């Protein structure tokens, strides 16, 4: 196994695991505000998909400075959503401005040095990780179900296939972001190797993890997480060994990960849905409340026993 | 979620630009609320703000009111023959009309509507349904409503009911109001349809028949009932006579309106039907869709989103001051009212203006008045004070004889009030004891020798809405 492949596997495993587990941790602890009316539904998936198709086209034609402006706006909104309920607004705005500003400065001044490149990836990764966790939670806490996520993943599989092999925009897009501030991906550079995984993929994995957990409980997570690791991280890492067209003679590898993950996500959903009906947010709240009550009763019970023993 | 946001945006834009609100868009929003409730079990954050509108801040409120009044007046100037003439006479400039200018304009009264109803029909209105007032104060007034209005009002009502958790797919409504109140009935049907609830429109039928329906043991047993206080009283009496108790009913809520609801009757309804809540509401055919509800502190809160509310002094037509009695004057805003709109309609319903201090009730975000105290023509003017019908009714209905539905006649004789009551009111209580009850409530009320009349005679003297009895073959048996 080449060091390049090994490095890519490590980066993808860390990226996908951190995003999935981070999203789940956040989902279990933070309640995002939601509008008085509205549930995320299948039509919303198409709307999001429209943006996903349209934005890269825009990114390709925009001048660098405008593209950076766009990314600043996107990440500011995403980070604000993520941390609004966690950090007081007066600190939050400074924090967002600081992280994004530092990212831009590093991208423009330190990329020549190895340390600079690593710092650049570290900052990018933190921003992309937080953004994907927040947005995934916004959608799932807004009513997006695993059914919607599976459908979304399948549509993205088609998108990835088309824009990788028929109209090769994905590769051009990867080139476009290289060295730009706020590259929307988690990645790292080490020993001459450079690997990263895009925000779109990370978002899908975060969505898939928490939608599975919300809809089907612990069983949902135990199905979703291995599927993400295998089909979202390992298979795309090994893909260049089989699919030659994703390797571009010495200038990098761009793997359309959703081609592997989309069908697997659909099959996982169908399998889980056959075992039990998917829970709504209301049912999830109830299950949480009941678990909390049981925990309290157990604690009270234990407390009483301890007291009796002490007496 | 994105679609819902677009629908809300479309509705907001229509309101800001003063264009008709697309009722279909609103119905789809109702569907969105149903889906939201199905997914989350409750609406999202800031729902109160959505329901109450921009009324907590007096400055925002005034700005909204000025804009809405100008919009309404501009349209009336264009399409309403009656108001074209009235505004021209009083040199009203709709573009610069403000809340402060309103007292300079005359109010519209029921007699104006009755004198020339066609003058109130707008040139571009498309009348579809006529509804008649069902009050007990004289000749009914006929109001025309367009298809747009009925769709819009129902969707707005369904939207607010769902968001407040008052209606929903698990609810079953029994409607015991006069079948002549066609707009209210149509709205009840439409609201239930939109909210996926069940409805039984029964009308003012024999109370035993209504109770049989209420006591259904099947899954569709009524969980909510809309009726008038006087008919509610009849139902309570009949249920007690038939030995029915709270265990026979599945009701959670009674929605009462159209007449004064006393605390004694409310308590009796809670005990007899086992309901958690008896909602006291305000609605009037002439000023639809403006409506109101009484909070737990006894204030009437009218919906300021759909109309402008004034309380004018009984004698001067100027705004009533805190603590003063006045009549409610209501202007339904465009685009909520389009076919036969009224401007500054004097309902003749008397309220007291609340002291100028913050409210602490559940509807405190929107201003309130006292509950309706009676009709202006029924006030009793003593030399030192004015006695309202509510004051008398509340003491009367709290008598141990439980003389429901309340029928009495009151008039001022010299410096006291002379009450005429039916014989039934004196069951288990003497005349002097009744008088003492009123004295304890601060009212100098006397019942003269000839002022106790037969129940039948009293029924002729004092009509109530429960008298609008409709027969059925089952009822005749």
């Amino acid at each position: 196994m080449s060091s390049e492949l090994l490095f890519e596997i490590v980066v993808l495993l860390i990226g996908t695991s951190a995003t999935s587990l981070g999203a789940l941790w956040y989902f279990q602890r933070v309640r995002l505000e939601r509008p008085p009316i509205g549930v995320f539904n299948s039509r919303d998936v198409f709307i999001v998909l429209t943006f996903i198709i349209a934005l890269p086209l825009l990114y390709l034609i925009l001048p660098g400075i405008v593209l950076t402006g766009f990314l600043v706006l996107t990440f500011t909104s995403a980070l604000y959503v993520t941390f609004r309920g966690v950090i007081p607004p007066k600190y939050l705005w400074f924090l967002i401005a600081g992280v994004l500003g530092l990212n831009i400065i590093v991208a423009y001044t330190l990329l020549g040095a190895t340390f600079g490149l690593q710092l650049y990836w570290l900052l990018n990764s933190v921003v992309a990780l937080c953004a994907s966790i927040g947005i995934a939670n916004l959608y799932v806490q807004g009513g997006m179900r695993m059914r919607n996520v599976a459908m979304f993943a399948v549509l993205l599989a088609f998108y990835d296939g088309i824009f990788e092999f028929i109209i090769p925009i994905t590769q051009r897009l990867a080139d476009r972001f290289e060295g730009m501030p706020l590259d929307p991906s988690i990645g790292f550079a080490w020993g001459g190797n450079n690997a990263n995984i895009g925000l779109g993929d990370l978002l899908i994995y975060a969505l898939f993890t928490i939608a599975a957990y919300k809809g089907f409980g612990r069983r949902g997570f135990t199905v979703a997480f291995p599927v993400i690791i295998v089909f979202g991280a390992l298979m795309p890492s090994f893909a260049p060994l089989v699919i030659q067209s994703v390797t571009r003679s010495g200038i990098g590898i761009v793997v359309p990960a959703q081609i592997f993950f989309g069908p697997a996500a659909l099959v996982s959903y169908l399998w889980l849905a056959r075992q039990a009906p998917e829970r709504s947010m209301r049912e999830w709240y109830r299950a949480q409340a009941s678990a909390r009550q049981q925990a309290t009763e157990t604690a009270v019970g234990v407390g009483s026993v301890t007291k009796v023993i002490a007496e | 979620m994105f679609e819902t946001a677009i629908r809300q945006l479309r509705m907001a834009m229509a309101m800001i630009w003063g264009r008709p609100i697309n009722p279909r868009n609103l119905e789809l929003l109702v569907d969105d609320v149903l889906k939201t409730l199905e997914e989350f079990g409750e609406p999202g954050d800031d729902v109160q703000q959505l329901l109450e509108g921009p009324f907590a801040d007096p400055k925002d409120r005034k700005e909204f009111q000025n804009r809405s009044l100008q919009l309404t007046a501009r349209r009336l100037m264009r399409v309403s023959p009656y108001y074209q003439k009235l505004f021209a006479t009083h040199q009203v400039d709709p573009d610069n009309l403000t809340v402060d200018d309103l007292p300079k304009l005359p109010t519209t009264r029921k007699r104006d509507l009755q004198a020339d109803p066609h003058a109130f029909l707008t040139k571009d209105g498309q009348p579809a349904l006529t509804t008649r007032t069902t009050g007990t104060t004289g000749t009914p007034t006929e109001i025309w409503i367009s298809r747009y209005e009925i769709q819009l009002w129902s969707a707005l009502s369904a939207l607010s009911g769902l968001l407040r958790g008052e209606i929903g797919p698990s609810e079953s409504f029994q409607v015991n109001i006069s079948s002549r109140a066609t707009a209210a009935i149509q709205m009840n049907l439409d609201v239930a349809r939109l909210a996926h609830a069940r409805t039984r429109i029964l009308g003012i039928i024999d109370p035993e028949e209504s109770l049989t329906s209420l006591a259904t043991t099947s899954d569709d047993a009524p969980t909510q009932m809309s009726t008038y206080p006087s008919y509610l009283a009849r139902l309570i009496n009949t249920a007690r006579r038939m030995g029915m108790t709270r265990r026979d009913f599945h009701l959670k809520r009674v929605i009462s309106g159209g007449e004064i609801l006393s605390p004694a009757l409310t308590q009796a309804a809670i005990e007899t039907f086992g309901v958690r809540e008896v909602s006291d509401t305000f609605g009037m055919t002439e000023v639809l869709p403006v409506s109101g509800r009484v909070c737990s502190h006894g204030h009437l809160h009218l919906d300021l989103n759909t109309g402008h509310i004034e309380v004018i002094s009984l004698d001067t037509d100027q705004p009533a001051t805190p603590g003063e009695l006045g009549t409610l004057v209501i202007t339904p805003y465009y685009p909520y009212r389009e076919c036969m709109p009224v401007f500054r309609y004097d309902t003749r319903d008397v309220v007291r203006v609340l002291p100028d201090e913050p409210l602490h009730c559940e509807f405190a975000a929107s201003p309130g008045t006292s509950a309706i105290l009676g009709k202006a023509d029924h006030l009793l003017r003593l030399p030192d004070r004015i006695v309202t019908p509510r004051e008398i009714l509340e003491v009367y209905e709290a008598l141990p004889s439980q003389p429901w539905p309340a029928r009495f006649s009151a008039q001022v004789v010299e410096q006291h009030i002379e009450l005429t009551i039916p014989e039934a009111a004196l069951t288990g209580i003497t005349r002097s004891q009744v008088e003492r009850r009123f004295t304890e409530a601060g009212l100098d009320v006397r019942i003269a020798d000839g002022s106790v009349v037969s129940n039948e005679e009293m029924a002729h003297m004092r009509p109530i809405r429960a008298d609008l009895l409709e027969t059925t073959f089952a009822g005749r048996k």
Side-chain angles (χ1 to χ4, degrees), chain A residues 164 168-176 178 240 243-255:
Chain A
E164 174 73 26
I169 282 177
T170 316
Q171 294 171 358
R172 285 178 57 198
L173 200 64
D175 297 342
R176 178 82 166 94
E178 199 167 315
I243 311 168
Q244 293 303 315
S245 62
V246 298
T247 310
R248 297 171 302 150
S249 55
I251 55 166
I253 301 167
V254 177
V255 181

Side-chain angles (χ1 to χ4, degrees), chain B residues 158-171:
Chain B
L159 199 60
S160 117
L162 281 166
L163 288 172
R164 288 181 204 277
E166 293 169 347
I167 54 173
S170 60
E171 301 296 333

Side-chain angles (χ1 to χ4, degrees), chain B residues 83-297:
Chain B
Y83 289 106
Q84 271 174 350
K85 205 166 142 188
L86 186 87
F87 287 176
T89 310
H90 293 270
Q91 295 174 325
V92 173
D93 174 10
D95 291 332
N96 294 308
L97 186 71
T98 66
V99 171
D100 303 325
D101 299 325
L102 290 181
K104 295 174 205 155
L105 291 171
T107 57
T108 303
R109 293 245 187 131
K110 189 175 182 176
R111 59 171 180 260
D112 301 316
L113 272 172
Q114 287 172 331
D116 189 6
H118 291 286
F120 286 86
L121 278 170
T122 52
K123 290 170 190 167
D124 59 355
Q126 295 179 322
L129 173 77
T130 176
T131 189
R132 295 182 134 217
T133 56
T134 49
T136 52
T137 51
T139 321
T141 312
E142 197 169 60
I143 305 290
W144 280 97
I145 294 164
S146 67
R147 186 171 288 114
Y148 162 81
E149 284 173 322
I150 203 85
Q151 273 184 293
L152 182 72
W153 301 346
S154 305
L156 284 170
S157 187
L159 199 60
S160 117
L162 281 166
L163 288 172
R164 288 181 204 277
E166 293 169 347
I167 54 173
S170 60
E171 301 296 333
S172 176
F173 286 86
Q174 177 162 312
V175 182
N176 288 111
I177 60 174
S178 168
S179 59
R180 277 193 299 130
T182 48
I185 286 177
Q186 185 68 46
M187 271 179 73
N188 270 295
L189 284 168
D190 280 352
V191 168
R193 173 180 60 80
L194 291 168
H196 297 190
R198 282 161 287 190
T199 337
R200 286 179 180 175
I201 306 286
L202 294 187
I204 303 296
I205 57 171
D206 180 66
E208 281 189 29
E209 216 181 321
S210 284
L211 289 168
T212 307
S213 164
L214 283 177
T216 311
T217 50
S218 59
D219 287 344
D220 60 355
T223 54
Q224 300 198 36
M225 172 174 65
S226 293
T227 193
Y228 309 121
S230 57
Y231 190 72
L232 178 65
R234 281 224 166 118
L235 291 178
I236 293 168
N237 291 343
T238 312
R240 288 177 173 182
R241 200 185 65 236
M242 290 168 74
M244 297 172 103
T245 66
R246 56 172 63 204
R247 281 190 293 277
D248 295 307
F249 306 104
H250 305 270
L251 280 177
K252 291 189 287 192
R253 179 170 170 242
V254 171
I255 304 144
S256 160
E259 290 170 330
I260 295 173
L261 177 71
S262 71
L265 194 63
T266 302
Q267 191 53 37
I270 290 169
E271 284 164 11
T272 309
F273 296 118
V275 291
R276 289 196 293 264
E277 185 190 350
V278 180
S279 302
D280 190 3
T281 62
F282 171 85
M284 191 178 210
T285 313
E286 295 92 318
V287 294
L288 283 169
V290 180
S291 61
R293 52 173 58 204
V294 177
C295 69
S296 56
H297 291 214

Side-chain angles (χ1 to χ4, degrees), chain A residues 32-41 43-44 47-48 138-139 141-143 145 214 279-283 285, chain B residues 1-8 29 32-33 35-47 50 159 163:
Chain A
L32 287 173
E33 269 185 33
R34 62 184 170 88
I37 314 171
V39 181
F40 200 100
N41 60 24
R43 279 186 292 274
D44 294 320
I47 293 172
V48 174
L138 182 73
Y139 288 174
Q141 292 189 28
R145 293 190 171 213
K214 186 262 281 180
R279 290 187 303 191
S280 62
M281 277 302 288
R282 176 183 12 198
E283 287 160 331
Y285 289 143
Chain B
M1 190 171 270
F2 293 120
E3 275 182 315
T4 308
I6 292 166
R7 283 184 194 124
Q8 284 177 291
L29 260 179
D32 292 337
V33 178
K35 285 174 191 153
T36 306
L37 296 176
E38 195 185 328
E39 178 63 33
F40 301 102
E42 59 184 8
D45 304 285
D46 297 333
V47 69
L50 186 76
L159 199 60
L163 288 172

